[in-house]
Amino acid sequence: MSQHLFLPLVIFVISPIPGAFQDSALSPTEEPEDLDCGRPEPSARIMGGSDAQPGAWPWQVSLHQGGGHICGGSLIAPSWVLSAAHCFVSNGTLEQASEWSVLLGVHSQDGPLDGAHVRSVAAILVPDNYSKVELGADLALLRLTSPAKLSPTVRPICLPRASHRFAHGTACWATGWGDLQEEDPLPLPWVLQEVELRLLGEAACQCLYSRPGPFNLTFQLLPGMLCAGYAEGRRDTCQGDSGGPLVCKEGGRWFQAGITSFGFGCGRRNRPGVFTAVGPYETWIREQVMGSEPGPAFPNQPQESQTGPWESREENCTIALPECGKAPRPGVWPWEAQVIMPGSRPCHGTLVSESWVLAPASCFLDSITSDNPPRDLDAWRVLLPSRTRSERVSRFVPHENATWDDASDLALLQLRAPVNLSAAPRAVCLPYPEHYFLPGSRCRLALWGRGEPALDPSAQLEAELLGGWWCHCLYGHQGASVPPPGHPPHRLCPYYQEEEEEAGRCWNDSRWSLMCLEEGTWFLAGIGDVSSGCLRPRAFSPVQTHSPWISHVTRGAYLEDQLAWDWGPEGEETETQTCPPHTEHGVPIATIVSILTPRLCHCLYQGILPPGTLCVLYAEGQEDRCEVTSAPPLLCQTEGGFWVLMGMAVRGSQELFAAIGPEEAWISQTVAEAHFLPPSGSPYWPPAGSDLCPPDMAGASGSPQAAALILLLLTPLIQD
Ligand code: 4AZ
C-alpha cells in the first residue's frame, strides 16, 4: 500500500448504533440466500491516514503460504474468499490448495493475532481463460475447509452485479499489508493499511498510461479491468496488496468493485493501479459457489448515472502539481541550495522536494565519520532562492557507500519545515532508474559541493549529451557490454560547446552536477567526481542509479514530485552492443593512454581528421594530465619489446596524435640514423565509404554536434 499522505492520527470512537446490522437497504427483490454483507461495525476511520482501525474492513483476509503473507483476499461468504489468480498460478500451474492458509479478522500481523482465526484452503478456482495478469481474468476463489466464524471483525463484503456500473470518480478504498512504496515493505507491526482511491474511467486510465514515462508502451486496459488512483500518483496499492479488495460504499453498504491485480510500479505519476472488475464476473462466481449456503450476496445497488461528476475532469488526464524542473532561464536554478555549516565553506546542493536537499556527502565528511546524527546539525542552515530566511535541518542521511565510492558521494538533508514550492524555490526533477537521456540532450552544469566556480558563475557551460555507446566505450573496457536504453548507464558524457579555456584553467578544482533538459523540464542527471578531472569528454555519475535510495529515504517525496520520462528504445538498438578493442599497438610508455582502433577514431571524429591521426583514450582510473602543455610524444612498446615513437600530439591535444609512420620518408632523409620497424600491416585509416560506426553516430555525420565535438577535442589545453 503506497500512501504518502501522513496525517496525524485522530482516534475517536462512535458508540455502536442499535440495530446497525438490520438490513434497511434490502429491497423486496433481494435474493433469499443473501447474507448480511458490506457492513462493518460502525467505526472511526482515519481519512487520509494509513493505518486502518481494527475491524474497519472485516472482510479483509491475509493469504499465507510458507508461513508468510503473500496476498490479500476478501471474505465473500462464510466458506469463500475472493482473491487474484496470479497469487496462485506460477509458470502456468495452479498451486496446491493445501499450501495456503487464510487468516481472518487480522489487524496487525505481528505478535498474538487477537480475535483472528485461521482456515485452511480446500480448493482454489481460477477462470479457464486466465493466463497472465496483463490479459485480465485475474481472479480466484478459495473454498475454505470449514466456514469462517463471523464476528464484528469477520464479515463478508457485498458483490456488485454484472449490470452495475460504479460512477467514475467514486471514492473507494483499497486495503492490504503490501509495500508502502516500491521496494519498501510495510514495517512492523504490520498493521493493515487503507487508502482512498478514485475510480477512473477507462478513457482517463488509458490516457494516463499513454503519457510519457516508464511503461507507457505496454499497457492496454481490457474489458473486465478497472483503474483506480490518481494522475499525480502517491496513493496506490503495491506489491503484497494483490488479491485484496477495492470497496465502494453505496446505499449504506460496502461493495467490492475490484480486486487488486497489478500496476506499473507503485504510486507513480500517470500509472494508476489496475484492478480486476468484480461485476463482470458475477456469473462465473455464482457458478463456482453454486450450492453453498449461504453463498455470496449480490444486493441491489442504486444505479447511478454512468457519467459521474469527475468524468470530464479526468478525461483530459491533466495533473495539477507543483512542477519540478522548470527554470525561468537556463543556469538560473530555482533548486540551487547552499548548505552552511559553521567553520566551513558553503556546500552546493539541490532541492529535490519540498523537504529534501541532495548534496555530496563529502561536504560533510566529518559528520559521516563521527556520530549520526551529527552533533552540530542544529547549527546547519540551508539557503534557497527567493527565501528571505534560511532553513533549518532536521535530519542528515549519508549514502551508505559515500565514503568509498565517488558515484555514491551523496547525502540527503531533511529541512525542519517543508518549503512552499513555487517559481522559486522549486525542486529539480530526478530521473528514475529506467530514464533514458536522449543522445544530444541539452545539458548544463550547476555548482556542486564545495567547488569554487572556476569560471565566472554566470558562464555555466552548455553541453550536449553523447550517445551511451560512446560514453561507455570511451571510458569502459574492450568487449564490455553497453547498457541498453532503459538500463541505468554507468556514466553520462556531455560535451561542451564553450570550452574551459575561458576559465584559463581546467575545472578540476570545481565540482559540478549535470542538469539535462527534456521537454522543458530540467533533470538532475549526473554528478561529477573529482577524478574525472580533465579527461574529455567528461564523465558524470548518473543520479538515476540512486533513485531507489532517494525514494526510500525521502519516503515518497521523490515519487510525488518527479516526472519520469522514458524515451525507450522503441524497437531499435535492443541488441547487445559491446565496446571495440582500444589498442592494437601495445601499452604506451606513459601507461596512461590506449590507442583507439582506426574505426573508433574514424567514427568518433566523423572522418574529418587528416589521415594518419591517432586517437587515444585515457582509460579508467588514470590520472588526468592537465599539466601537460608541450606536445608529448606517443610511445608504444611492440611485442618484441621495442619502444616505438608512434605519434606527436596534434596542437597540444591530449587525445589526437599525428602518426609518425606516414612521415617515414621525410624523417629518414633528415635523420639518417632513425630506425623504422617493418609496417604492422594495419592501415591507420579504414577504406573510404566503409560504414562501420555504431548506429548512434551513423546519422550524426557532419552534424553540428559532431563538429563541436571535434573542435573541442582539437582545442589545445591551456595550463593554469
Ligand atoms: C503487486 O506486485 C502489485 N500499484 C500490486 C499492485 C500494484 C503494483 C504491484 C499497483 O502485487
Side-chain angles (χ1 to χ4, degrees):
M1 184 74 45
S2 161
Q3 163 120 9
H4 306 302
L5 285 184
F6 295 106
L7 297 186
L9 288 181
V10 183
I11 301 175
F12 55 97
V13 177
I14 301 171
S15 47
I17 302 162
F21 294 104
Q22 275 168 17
D23 199 344
S24 53
L26 281 188
S27 73
T29 59
E30 204 63 51
E31 293 169 31
E33 81 269 23
D34 278 357
L35 75 166
D36 193 29
C37 64
R39 293 183 193 273
E41 185 122 34
S43 75
R45 187 160 296 116
I46 299 145
M47 306 296 283
S50 51
D51 285 2
Q53 283 292 90
W57 312 108
W59 41 82
Q60 174 80 46
V61 305
S62 168
L63 303 178
H64 279 223
Q65 188 190 38
H69 167 92
I70 304 289
C71 273
S74 55
L75 190 70
I76 59 165
S79 293
W80 290 95
V81 161
L82 184 61
S83 184
H86 80 259
C87 296
F88 312 99
V89 178
S90 50
N91 300 327
T93 313
L94 190 62
E95 288 170 3
Q96 296 277 317
S98 57
E99 293 172 13
W100 290 85
S101 52
V102 178
L103 273 68
L104 302 116
V106 193
H107 176 61
S108 155
Q109 297 220 24
D110 182 37
L113 300 174
D114 291 337
H117 63 284
V118 185
R119 288 287 178 273
S120 40
V121 179
I124 302 174
L125 313 171
V126 164
D128 290 338
N129 60 340
Y130 172 78
S131 56
K132 53 181 181 175
V133 286
E134 300 92 316
L135 298 182
D138 185 18
L139 76 163
L141 280 168
L142 276 59
R143 185 159 54 80
L144 308 184
T145 46
S146 60
K149 260 187 282 168
L150 300 189
S151 72
T153 55
V154 180
R155 300 198 152 264
I157 181 74
C158 308
L159 299 184
R161 296 188 183 169
S163 57
H164 185 73
R165 298 283 173 275
F166 290 95
H168 304 160
T170 304
C172 301
W173 289 80
T175 43
W177 288 275
D179 291 356
L180 287 183
Q181 56 182 348
E182 287 170 38
E183 312 289 323
D184 188 8
L186 181 66
L188 284 169
W190 298 326
V191 170
L192 179 67
Q193 302 290 298
E194 60 181 21
V195 66
E196 188 181 32
L197 301 177
R198 299 252 172 208
L199 298 186
L200 290 161
E202 188 188 311
C205 183
Q206 198 67 67
C207 168
L208 291 175
Y209 267 96
S210 67
R211 289 183 62 108
F215 319 112
N216 60 329
L217 305 170
T218 45
F219 181 70
Q220 178 66 53
L221 189 72
L222 298 172
M225 294 179 177
L226 69 84
C227 291
Y230 304 87
E232 68 269 26
R234 286 187 283 178
R235 283 172 281 174
D236 193 7
T237 49
C238 201
Q239 188 163 7
D241 291 323
S242 282
L246 174 72
V247 298
C248 317
K249 199 169 194 178
E250 286 190 358
R253 288 169 180 269
W254 291 93
F255 286 83
Q256 183 169 357
I259 303 165
T260 299
S261 175
F262 71 107
F264 297 90
C266 304
R268 293 193 181 204
R269 253 185 214 193
N270 299 320
R271 302 294 179 261
V274 184
F275 297 77
T276 306
V278 175
Y281 294 96
E282 176 187 357
T283 309
W284 183 79
I285 295 171
R286 284 188 191 275
E287 280 169 10
Q288 310 309 309
V289 303
M290 202 129 57
S292 269
E293 279 298 338
F298 293 84
N300 273 339
Q301 283 167 270
Q303 186 61 65
E304 288 182 24
S305 106
Q306 216 168 317
T307 311
W310 294 77
E311 177 99 44
S312 53
R313 241 203 282 173
E314 284 165 7
E315 295 304 318
N316 59 13
C317 69
T318 52
I319 313 171
L321 262 190
E323 282 177 307
C324 59
K326 295 277 187 275
R329 268 179 297 130
V332 178
W333 307 127
W335 40 83
E336 195 172 67
Q338 276 191 61
V339 187
I340 317 282
M341 292 151 292
S344 50
R345 283 190 291 155
C347 175
H348 296 271
T350 307
L351 188 69
V352 296
S353 80
E354 56 180 12
S355 304
W356 292 90
V357 169
L358 188 66
S362 50
C363 282
F364 316 97
L365 264 182
D366 302 344
S367 308
I368 298 178
T369 45
S370 66
D371 36 10
N372 198 8
R375 247 170 288 146
D376 61 348
L377 204 59
D378 264 353
W380 294 15
R381 293 289 181 275
V382 175
L383 298 178
L384 295 171
S386 307
R387 298 278 292 184
T388 45
R389 307 244 313 263
S390 61
E391 320 298 323
R392 306 188 69 172
V393 177
S394 63
R395 204 145 76 91
F396 168 74
V397 188
H399 193 289
E400 56 178 359
N401 301 340
T403 47
W404 58 269
D405 173 18
D406 273 344
S408 307
D409 182 12
L410 291 170
L412 280 161
L413 283 75
Q414 186 171 26
L415 305 180
R416 219 174 249 191
V419 290
N420 238 346
L421 297 180
S422 58
R426 168 174 276 167
V428 74
C429 290
L430 294 170
Y432 279 108
E434 56 277 75
H435 194 111
Y436 179 60
F437 286 104
L438 281 176
S441 289
R442 216 178 120 199
C443 303
R444 283 179 87 94
L445 301 184
L447 276 177
W448 184 247
R450 291 259 173 76
E452 292 278 317
L455 324 165
D456 162 9
S458 63
Q460 281 162 325
L461 297 179
E462 184 110 15
E464 280 184 37
L465 215 56
L466 272 181
W469 190 91
W470 289 105
C471 184
H472 190 81
C473 293
L474 281 172
Y475 283 90
H477 302 287
Q478 165 183 343
S481 54
V482 182
H487 289 234
H490 298 174
R491 287 178 193 78
L492 294 168
C493 300
Y495 57 90
Y496 301 93
Q497 288 156 3
E498 304 148 47
E499 236 318 305
E500 61 199 78
E501 62 187 280
E502 278 176 35
R505 58 178 176 167
C506 167
W507 324 316
N508 204 12
D509 304 348
S510 341
R511 286 193 73 185
W512 301 94
S513 58
L514 180 69
M515 303 283 165
C516 293
L517 186 66
E518 273 182 15
E519 302 262 302
T521 299
W522 289 94
F523 285 82
L524 175 63
I527 53 170
D529 58 60
V530 184
S531 68
S532 84
C534 290
L535 303 185
R536 287 179 286 177
R538 232 160 282 278
F540 285 77
S541 303
V543 167
Q544 64 202 89
T545 348
H546 299 294
S547 85
W549 172 71
I550 299 171
S551 160
H552 182 80
V553 173
T554 60
R555 267 293 173 96
Y558 184 93
L559 296 174
E560 203 170 305
D561 294 325
Q562 312 310 315
L563 275 170
W565 304 104
D566 176 22
W567 309 98
E570 304 210 7
E572 17 105 17
E573 275 195 59
T574 42
E575 287 163 39
T576 309
Q577 296 193 59
T578 54
C579 298
H582 288 153
T583 176
E584 46 198 38
H585 300 282
V587 183
I589 190 167
T591 69
I592 60 165
V593 294
S594 311
I595 299 177
L596 297 182
T597 56
R599 173 188 160 228
L600 190 51
C601 184
H602 169 73
C603 295
L604 183 58
Y605 293 89
Q606 297 295 314
I608 293 180
L609 297 178
T613 310
L614 301 173
C615 321
V616 302
L617 168 74
Y618 292 77
E620 238 171 345
Q622 288 165 347
E623 296 289 297
D624 66 73
R625 304 196 336 174
C626 302
E627 62 291 339
V628 176
T629 48
S630 57
L634 176 65
L635 295 160
C636 300
Q637 197 170 26
T638 63
E639 277 173 13
F642 295 103
W643 284 99
V644 183
L645 178 68
M646 295 295 295
M648 297 301 289
V650 173
R651 292 180 53 219
S653 161
Q654 287 189 295
E655 289 89 5
L656 300 174
F657 294 81
I660 299 293
E663 308 303 333
E664 177 178 349
W666 176 76
I667 296 172
S668 301
Q669 274 174 12
T670 318
V671 188
E673 296 86 2
H675 294 281
F676 288 87
L677 289 181
S680 70
S682 107
Y684 291 121
W685 215 246
S690 78
D691 183 16
L692 297 166
C693 300
D696 249 0
M697 292 303 252
S701 188
S703 71
Q705 293 99 311
L709 176 62
I710 289 149
L711 284 175
L712 158 71
L713 293 170
L714 284 169
T715 306
L717 199 81
I718 291 172
Q719 202 183 20
D720 215 349

